[in-house]
Amino acid sequence: GMEGLSVGSVLLTGCDGGLGLALLKGLLEQPRPPQHLFAACLDPQGKVRKAPARGGAGLEGNVTDPNSIKAAVGRVREKVGSAGLNLLINNSGTTRRSTLATETAENMSLVYTTNTIGPLQTSQAFLPLLKEAAEAEGQREMSCNRAAIINISSILGSIEVAEAWEERQDICYRCSKAALNMLTKCLALEYGSSGILCVSVDPGHVTPPLERGMGPVTVEESVRGVLQLLAQLSATSNGTFWDWRGQRLPW
């Protein structure tokens, strides 16, 4: 409900970027912040960033490297124990500016690897911990407080809306986010019976930004909206696509 999130443990990937850091800050500033907050961060050189001193634990978070993911799972398990992991937010994302005329196989591969394969591998790896959280005592209704995978997607991945074509074609980004949305649906179909909620969310905050007036004014406004939405998601939202304003989006 409206009282905000009350999540025991959260793992957030992609914490080097503006949105990731703002989400981290937003989670720490909740009335009841997570007891365990894990931030998986990689700067372009591959060095681990230090998470904020207050309440966050930094993880080496290369979402496309199975060894790195495995190590992260171990670190999280050490801290959360049998309570499991309540909320996985797959926020790792990248883009390359492109048009249909300039798009390349290299762009397509790079962006798909980070934006689609990364969330798949992270979700697979953390499934046992998410299942443990879903089965924990006193948890009945599906929610982000119980067990959930949130894939940070984009309106640009909506085939039906096909937003902002004149502003930016970015084929590699659009295709990777459309594929991520299909992954969300697949995760929802497979993990829903285990009590794990799986949802795609468009934060309205894309890099580089769209034209003025097309999204939230600030990244803080985006994060406020996203966290408000997460607090309200339930079983009926499993396998669906929402934006930062709490509006349902078409695939």
Side-chain angles (χ1 to χ4, degrees), residues 4-194:
L5 280 168
S6 177
V7 192
S9 56
V10 183
L11 171 69
L12 173 66
T13 69
C15 287
D16 337 61
L19 181 66
L21 284 172
L23 273 166
L24 200 56
K25 195 166 166 287
L27 284 161
L28 288 169
E29 288 169 358
Q30 289 292 293
R32 283 168 297 185
Q35 194 185 341
H36 301 287
L37 179 54
F38 304 95
C41 319
L42 264 198
D43 67 18
Q45 282 72 47
K47 290 193 294 288
V48 182
R49 285 269 177 88
K50 288 282 168 269
R54 192 167 67 90
L59 293 175
E60 184 157 356
N62 185 348
V63 296
T64 61
D65 171 25
N67 289 329
S68 171
I69 297 171
K70 209 171 153 186
V73 172
R75 286 276 308 280
V76 172
R77 187 174 280 288
E78 267 169 41
K79 291 274 192 296
V80 300
S82 61
L85 176 69
N86 299 110
L87 178 58
L88 168 61
I89 304 177
N90 286 313
N91 172 59
S92 283
T94 190
T95 188
R96 298 282 190 283
R97 296 313 309 264
S98 65
T99 63
L100 208 41
T102 63
E103 194 55 271
T104 64
E106 188 193 20
N107 274 354
M108 292 291 282
S109 297
L110 277 167
V111 174
Y112 189 82
T113 298
T114 301
N115 292 6
T116 315
I117 297 173
L120 166 70
Q121 292 184 321
T122 308
S123 300
Q124 287 172 327
F126 281 95
L127 175 62
L129 282 167
L130 288 159
K131 276 186 167 169
E132 281 178 43
E135 288 159 13
E137 209 179 345
Q139 297 283 19
R140 277 170 291 277
E141 300 300 316
M142 274 177 117
S143 73
C144 287
N145 294 340
R146 180 186 179 190
I149 298 171
I150 300 298
N151 288 327
I152 299 297
S153 185
S154 169
I155 187 81
L156 298 186
S158 169
I159 293 172
E160 192 171 326
V161 177
E163 181 88 54
W165 180 253
E166 303 307 322
E167 285 78 29
R168 49 187 294 200
Q169 296 191 354
D170 293 8
I171 312 301
C172 53
Y173 186 77
R174 288 176 186 271
C175 290
S176 74
K177 291 299 192 181
L180 178 65
N181 285 346
M182 176 53 106
L183 176 64
T184 296
K185 184 59 89 171
C186 295
L187 293 170
L189 291 168
E190 185 65 11
Y191 297 171
S193 57
S194 300

